[in-house]
Every structure is written in C-alpha cells, then in structure tokens.
Amino acid sequence: MTSMHSLPAGYRALVIGAGGAIGGACVDQLQADPRCGAVQALHRGSVPALDIASEPSIAAAAEALRDAPPWHLILVATGLLHGPGVAPEKRLAELDGAALETLFRINAIGPALVLRHFAPRLDRRRSLLAVLSAKVGSLGDNRLGGWYGYRASKAALNMLLKTAAIELRRTHPGAVLAALHPGTVRSALSRPFRGDEIGREPALAAAGMLAALDALQPDDTGAFVAHDGQRLPW
C-alpha cells in the first residue's frame, strides 16, 4: 500500500478510467491510504458516468462535480491499444484511417478534454495530476518502429500534457502534471502481447506509479516519468 505523504492529510483523489485494471488498482491503493479523505472513481458505469471517447460525457461529469472541493490528486488511467478494428501496426501498409482516429480520440483527445474540464479544479497549493502514457510514445526512445497509431497517440498525449503544465503553472503554482508510464501490466490491454507472462500485477504497478508521482516537486511539472521514477526522453 502506498501513502501519498506529499499531499495534505485528508486529501481528495479523482480517478478517471477506474473500470480498467490500472485505474481500479489505483482506486484500491488510495482507498487503503489512511491519509486519503475521499476517492471519486469515474468510468462509463459510474455515477456520474464518464466515457473518455465522448466529449459531452466528460463535460457532463465535470459539471456534476462542479461543487465538489478542489482535488489534490487526479489520475487519468485510460488508454486503448487494440480492439474491434484496431490493432498495433507492424508496417506502413497496415495503417488505417479509422483506427488512427479511434486511437487518437481515446489516447489523446479524451485525456486532453479531461485536462480542460478538470485540471482547473486542482488545489492551488499542492496537487498532482497524471495521465497514463507509455514509453513507446517516446520519440527519442523509438528504436524498433511499428505500433504507429499507439505510439503517435501517446506522443500527442505527452505534448498536450506538457503544454497544459506550462499554462497551469501560472494559476496553480503548487500543481504538478506528469505523463506516467506504468510498464507492462497484467491486463486486458497487454494480454495479447504476453502481458500475463511478463507483466506485473496491477496492484504493484499502481503502487509504483503513485510513489513516483508523490515524489515529484513543482519544478518537475510536465515531466514524463516511469513507474519506478525514471525520467523518460520525449
């Protein structure tokens, strides 16, 4: 169990994408933290509901929580690698426009709209916001190629997060925004790619991510960080 020592006692946390393996594990970790005062878990079946692929749903969820006190921690634990009509491409010849649009809508556009509607509700003193990114979204670390849509959509997410961090620093000097790489986790996302064999349990991934996030300082805002605290190249 991870305790968020950098946040005030009784801190308030919001987890978006709580229906997934990593998001659900983060909710469990936070609920077990005696320093956490409240955890709001949002997903397509929650109340209020939030569908990361739907801008009206994101806006409606934010409106429903408009009168809630400021958040000390916001985690956006959403993402898509494969699904109906979507699979990692090995060659340029496999690129598909509809699949690319789906990946960008879920991996970049949806989280960006969450930033728009929820980031202004962060506590202005000490607060943390993280989006679930991926190491394969690093331009500098791309040595194998392939996985065009997933790589590109996560790289776009990183840029959106970095840009939001610069803007938010002016109004929320105590807020830290970060793109977090969870590593390979045993989940539905990684299962077709030997995730159950080489991945870690979601609870371990969540604990590492929360600890890495808790260690960040205001000067670190806009960082791209792995679950073990390692800084990743853009």
Side-chain angles (χ1 to χ4, degrees):
M1 189 270 291
T2 299
S3 187
M4 305 296 285
H5 292 290
S6 76
L7 297 177
Y11 71 86
R12 293 171 42 79
L14 172 66
V15 179
I16 295 170
I22 295 177
C26 286
V27 170
D28 292 342
Q29 292 279 329
L30 294 167
Q31 288 177 335
D33 183 357
R35 302 191 73 257
C36 184
V39 182
Q40 178 80 53
L42 297 184
H43 50 80
R44 282 176 290 186
S46 63
V47 179
L50 190 150
D51 182 351
I52 200 67
S54 167
E55 182 172 3
S57 173
I58 296 169
E63 177 63 21
L65 297 175
R66 180 184 60 180
D67 295 329
W71 303 102
H72 299 96
L73 173 64
I74 298 178
L75 295 173
V76 186
T78 56
L80 176 69
L81 173 58
H82 59 87
V86 176
E89 314 91 344
K90 296 180 181 179
R91 301 176 297 130
L92 278 170
E94 297 175 2
L95 286 179
D96 176 80
L100 288 171
E101 288 179 3
T102 298
L103 286 165
F104 271 81
R105 182 166 59 251
I106 294 176
N107 290 339
I109 297 171
L113 293 171
V114 167
L115 288 172
R116 172 192 170 184
H117 290 285
F118 286 94
R121 296 295 301 150
L122 285 168
D123 190 277
R124 294 175 185 270
R125 293 162 293 181
R126 169 66 176 175
S127 56
L128 303 165
L129 184 152
V131 297
L132 202 63
S133 186
K135 189 176 181 180
V136 296
S138 166
L139 299 179
D141 191 62
N142 186 356
R143 296 184 293 271
L144 298 176
W147 290 32
Y148 287 86
Y150 189 69
R151 286 184 186 276
S153 60
K154 289 296 187 178
L157 172 63
N158 289 350
M159 178 59 82
L160 289 161
L161 183 283
K162 177 75 171 180
T163 305
I166 293 170
E167 176 179 344
L168 213 66
R169 191 169 189 174
R170 303 177 190 131
T171 57
H172 295 66
V176 181
L177 278 62
L180 277 181
H181 166 58
T184 302
V185 179
R186 294 174 186 169
S187 67
L189 183 144
S190 66
R191 188 160 295 124
F193 311 98
R194 300 179 56 230
D196 288 342
E197 301 172 41
I198 64 176
R200 292 167 298 130
E201 290 295 333
L204 290 176
M209 291 168 58
L210 290 171
L213 188 59
D214 194 44
L216 297 178
Q217 300 301 313
D219 287 346
D220 298 317
T221 192
F224 186 16
V225 183
H227 59 89
D228 58 1
Q230 176 188 359
R231 300 303 174 92
L232 299 175
W234 295 111

